[in-house]
Amino acid sequence: MYQTESGWKSADSTLRQEIFRFAEGYKDFLNAGKTERLAVGEAVRLAEANGFFNLEEKKTLVAGDKVYFVNRHKNVFLAVIGQEVVEAGIHFIIAHVDCPRIDLKQNPLYSDSGLALMKTHYYGGIKKYQWTAIPLALHGVVLTKDGTKVEISIGDKPEDPVLCITDLLPHLATDQMQKKATEIIGGEALNIVVGSLPAEESDKDSEKEAVLALLSQEYGICEEDFLSAELEVVPAFPARDLGLDRSMIAAYGQDDRVCAYTGLRAILETNAPKKTAVCVLTDKEEIGSMGNTGMRSAFFEYAVALLLEKTTGHYNELMLKRTFRHSACLSADVSAGVDPTWPEVHDKLNAPYIGRGIVLTKYTGSRGKSGTSDANAEFMYGIRRCFDEHNVFWQAGELGKVDAGGGGTIAQYVANLDIEVVDCGVPLLSMHAPFEVASKLDIYMAYRAYSSFLNE
Ligand code: MN
Ligand code: MN
């Protein structure tokens, strides 16, 4: 009979040590990469330290070469050239580094009732009420009038101040508490408190003026510069060990930086594979993979075309199509683990559990598999065999009960290019919350799974 059980039961002390050691590097990555830009920056730093070169600076490529290609600071494509020609197919790991968050509006700053505040527009699927009354940090870039790019990072260093969104006291929340959860905190109520000192010689909008003076002095930014900025508000706390036994990690942004980090580690340690190995850390997954840094962008095809051109000296469309047709991909994204407090949303026979290893999800989608690529049985077999041969702890699982909701991943866009693809990632609890939970065992097994796939 097919059964899964806790992977910890079959993890000996050597493996346990390896699992716990691996988690330390992961926490560092989460803390260093709280936005897609910062995560891409950290990935490039690690890639360079591991012998990867900028693809755009290489005229030709040969087997064993390691290259990265950054797209608009928010998306990176890393490749290790295989012994076979690129056209024989690529093994892709694709994860996303954008996470649900709160973005500043284009003209954010105002003052009211003795406070300076900033207006926001949330990004991705969040329960808005989870983002009030917690410490928040601000990260991003501002391009000033003269073209200077100013990097902003406030709230994550221990000595930094933090920001927050206030909530109503229970004493006066009689009306609020009657509302539906989607309306408890409205979209226009996600206002960030940024100051309360008034400017000296001003009576109207005094606190706003004081914040502008401070921004000008410390960063050389004026109010109009917000128009050419990308500023993202994220939880200000670091990744932590979770549980008395430290067997889990709780942190912001594990969907999907857990698969991004494990995929990244796997490609960094891949040497002269048979097939060309590629890891893509993509952007905009949380809002439908749109835009020129998302998986629906032509950037992906362009990057693969460059590999073809730089390994053979020529290029045509047929080469690209053949490459895709011969390729295979793990869509590395998280799944929803069974939460014993909310068992009613899962079919327990087909749900993933924390601590039982990486999850293979044949199909996602909603309302009758709408919006899924549904992996082919033959491909499922290939992955199953690969994982079993490499002693990967894995489980099959789908995202919740039929009609309980659902969701999609980048797998469908990859599949549309004629590539074999299946979803394969770490199960989380509290997905999309400011503090998401993952098992250290599953994190390690994601790394082992991606490594075995890239080297297959
Ligand atoms: Mn995801
Ligand atoms: Mn997500």
Side-chain angles (χ1 to χ4, degrees), residues 96 255 285-286 431-432:
H96 66 94
D255 172 9
E285 192 280 338
E286 295 294 354
M431 193 197 294
H432 282 206

Side-chain angles (χ1 to χ4, degrees), residues 11-282:
D12 62 17
S13 65
T14 317
L15 179 56
R16 282 184 186 222
Q17 269 179 20
E18 184 60 15
I19 288 169
F20 278 79
R21 194 196 55 76
F22 188 84
E24 295 305 306
Y26 172 50
K27 283 186 284 180
D28 292 342
F29 180 77
L30 287 176
N31 295 337
K34 282 202 170 175
T35 66
E36 69 283 32
R37 281 176 189 263
L38 292 171
V40 164
E42 185 62 8
V44 168
R45 191 185 69 78
L46 290 169
E48 285 178 343
N50 283 274
F52 279 67
F53 293 92
N54 188 340
L55 176 66
E56 291 171 291
E57 288 165 11
K58 293 274 263 185
K59 275 216 151 60
T60 59
L61 292 171
V62 296
D65 278 355
K66 299 180 165 200
V67 287
Y68 67 86
F69 185 15
V70 175
N71 178 21
R72 299 173 170 94
H73 313 283
K74 297 194 271 195
N75 168 205
V76 62
F77 178 103
L78 302 111
V80 181
I81 305 303
Q83 294 157 35
E84 292 181 1
V85 292
V86 174
E87 221 175 301
I90 296 173
H91 282 189
F92 293 102
I93 303 282
I94 307 181
H96 66 94
V97 285
D98 63 314
C99 301
R101 59 172 195 258
I102 297 176
D103 289 342
L104 293 193
K105 285 194 185 186
Q106 293 185 86
N107 186 24
L109 189 60
Y110 68 104
S111 49
D112 196 347
S113 312
L115 292 170
L117 300 118
M118 286 186 178
K119 296 296 295 178
T120 67
H121 198 139
Y122 66 94
Y123 172 98
I126 63 169
K127 289 176 163 180
K128 296 188 283 291
Y129 63 82
Q130 292 178 334
W131 292 72
T132 65
I134 61 169
L136 297 170
L138 181 70
H139 296 286
V141 295
V142 182
L143 283 110
T144 64
K145 204 165 193 171
D146 65 0
T148 310
K149 192 176 198 173
V150 182
E151 301 214 12
I152 306 276
S153 179
I154 303 165
D156 269 314
K157 292 184 282 298
E159 68 274 19
D160 277 357
V162 295
L163 311 173
C164 87
I165 297 165
T166 54
D167 197 356
L168 202 50
L169 63 168
H171 317 63
L172 297 179
T174 310
D175 285 350
Q176 185 198 28
M177 299 300 271
Q178 305 308 315
K179 289 183 179 171
K180 291 200 302 184
T182 49
E183 293 157 9
I184 292 170
I185 303 292
E188 291 291 349
L190 294 172
N191 302 318
I192 313 279
V193 174
V194 296
S196 72
L197 283 181
E200 271 169 25
E201 285 165 20
S202 164
D203 32 47
K204 196 169 170 286
D205 285 338
S206 179
E207 294 79 15
K208 170 177 173 175
E209 201 181 310
V211 167
L212 283 172
L214 196 145
L215 288 174
S216 163
Q217 195 186 336
E218 290 199 12
Y219 299 100
I221 298 168
C222 72
E223 189 173 18
E224 202 179 333
D225 294 336
F226 280 119
L227 298 176
S228 45
E230 278 180 348
L231 292 165
E232 306 178 3
V233 176
V234 296
F237 33 76
R240 302 289 294 265
D241 284 345
L242 176 70
L244 302 179
D245 57 7
R246 297 180 176 265
S247 61
M248 297 164 278
I249 287 175
Y252 164 69
Q254 299 204 72
D255 172 9
D256 182 36
R257 294 188 193 124
V258 66
C259 298
Y261 179 72
T262 47
L264 178 65
R265 283 252 72 103
I267 191 95
L268 294 183
E269 292 162 18
T270 295
N271 293 303
K274 207 169 123 210
K275 300 246 185 224
T276 294
V278 166
C279 172
V280 181
L281 305 184
T282 188

